[in-house]
Amino acid sequence: MRLFNTPQAGSSGAQLRAFGIGTICAALLMAAASVAVAQSAQADAGTSRDVAPTRAAADPQQVAMARALFEDGLRHVDEEEWALAADRFGRVLALRYSAVAAYNLALARARLGSSVLALEGLRELLVQPVLDPSVRDAALALQKEQNAYVGWLTVRVRGECATCGVQLDGKRLPDAALGVAVPVDPGHHALALVRGDEELARSSLSVARGARVEGNLQAPVASAAPSADLSPAEVRDTAAPSVEPAAPAGALAAAPEKQSKSSLLASPWFWGGVGVLAAGVITLGVVLAGNGAQDASPVPGNFSPGVISGQVQP
């Protein structure tokens, strides 16, 4: 049986098939054997009711489905249809765990450009306590390749926005990932600063293989909020300065005259002057009346047409 060393994008499906099917079948047989040994030990100890088996017995129907999906995945590898290959190997793992299927899934993800997911799958694979040396060597080689491909992004938010969140390619970025370098797949990415359903800022950037990039988002300046104790009408009055309506021009012209008249009539000095003037007029009438009795003829130089006359009563 020919084993592959480091499968690349053009790796032969026949090589993967020869190694993969043999390994997955061996894994299933070992699992079935371990279950049989465990059940036998429980029967000997008389504790079959109290102790559950460590692993369920292999279902022949599931084994057949897993084998068929694995074969289908290898055919998509031959055609370099990596999305379909990833789907098939993922389905195999949903039915039954296989180290070879886990490696092939990581390989398909790597060829799709999902370096971060591929590395996570390889890390989980390499921590297995029992792993075929050929699978381990292939996984280590692919891990080294993808570590050189993955990019690093540092996201910073400028300004204050306690209720804001950051989205990377439409997915919420944890607050713990802000301000530090985190691994991202190489390629184009979109950053967005959001508050609820509202998008406050957006930024687009491109990350090259193995590059370290910093993305910045600017939070909007917070406006002064009105006091919660004020009613809506009071808020409007506070926001807009009070302006008295302009008086008509005629009213402005008449106002001083009216004010002067009212103040003149209310003044005691005005009425005192009127009294003095009235007394003077009466005195003048008496004098002229006396003169008129002695000489009724007009005095030369008197104003015409009339002369002020009066009569004093006893």
Side-chain angles (χ1 to χ4, degrees):
M1 180 175 65
R2 182 179 179 183
L3 304 180
F4 64 93
N5 292 323
T6 308
Q8 301 297 330
S11 297
S12 169
Q15 294 176 352
L16 291 172
R17 186 180 299 107
F19 176 70
I21 294 178
T23 306
I24 194 171
C25 291
L28 291 172
L29 290 174
M30 291 177 62
S34 62
V35 171
V37 172
Q39 289 178 344
S40 176
Q42 290 173 3
D44 295 340
T47 58
S48 58
R49 280 188 171 182
D50 300 332
V51 179
T54 57
R55 181 179 296 181
D59 185 349
Q61 182 67 27
Q62 288 192 6
V63 173
M65 289 187 293
R67 183 182 293 113
L69 288 168
F70 192 89
E71 287 276 358
D72 196 21
L74 292 178
R75 283 193 292 270
H76 290 302
V77 169
D78 288 341
E79 300 295 331
E80 296 188 8
E81 297 172 343
W82 299 110
L84 293 174
D87 175 77
R88 299 306 185 267
F89 293 129
R91 291 173 184 267
V92 171
L93 294 174
L95 293 171
R96 193 74 179 180
Y97 181 79
S98 164
V100 178
Y103 168 80
N104 289 341
L105 176 59
L107 175 65
R109 286 173 171 173
R111 298 300 174 253
L112 288 170
S114 300
S115 299
V116 176
L117 285 178
L119 286 171
E120 284 304 307
L122 291 171
R123 289 189 184 97
E124 293 177 359
L125 173 63
L126 290 170
V127 298
Q128 298 296 324
V130 179
L131 189 62
D132 187 281
S134 299
V135 178
R136 182 178 295 277
D137 292 343
L140 289 173
L142 184 59
Q143 185 183 54
K144 182 178 179 181
E145 174 194 281
Q146 292 302 300
N147 277 330
Y149 283 177
V150 72
W152 296 87
L153 174 63
T154 303
V155 180
R156 302 186 188 278
V157 178
R158 310 291 184 182
E160 296 294 333
C161 190
T163 59
C164 294
V166 175
Q167 290 183 352
L168 175 62
D169 298 329
K171 296 181 179 179
R172 178 65 180 262
L173 194 65
D175 294 340
L178 298 177
V180 295
V182 294
V184 294
D185 296 328
H188 295 284
H189 297 278
L191 287 173
L193 183 67
V194 297
R195 181 169 52 201
D197 296 332
E198 180 185 7
E199 183 177 296
L200 304 177
R202 171 172 285 270
S203 175
S204 298
L205 48 88
S206 181
V207 181
R209 288 181 175 180
R212 292 182 174 269
V213 179
E214 183 171 307
N216 295 310
L217 293 169
Q218 181 63 51
V221 179
S223 58
S227 174
D229 298 332
L230 298 180
S231 65
E234 290 173 331
V235 171
R236 289 194 300 269
D237 294 341
T238 305
S242 177
V243 178
E244 295 183 0
L252 291 177
E257 181 180 357
K258 181 179 179 181
Q259 182 179 3
S260 62
K261 286 183 177 180
S262 60
S263 60
L264 182 61
L265 294 176
S267 174
W269 295 101
F270 171 77
W271 290 109
V274 169
V276 172
L277 180 59
V281 171
I282 295 173
T283 304
L284 179 60
V286 171
V287 172
L288 291 177
N291 292 334
Q294 297 175 1
D295 189 3
S297 63
V299 179
N302 285 348
F303 292 99
S304 177
V307 179
I308 299 174
S309 61
Q311 184 178 8
V312 179
Q313 297 293 335

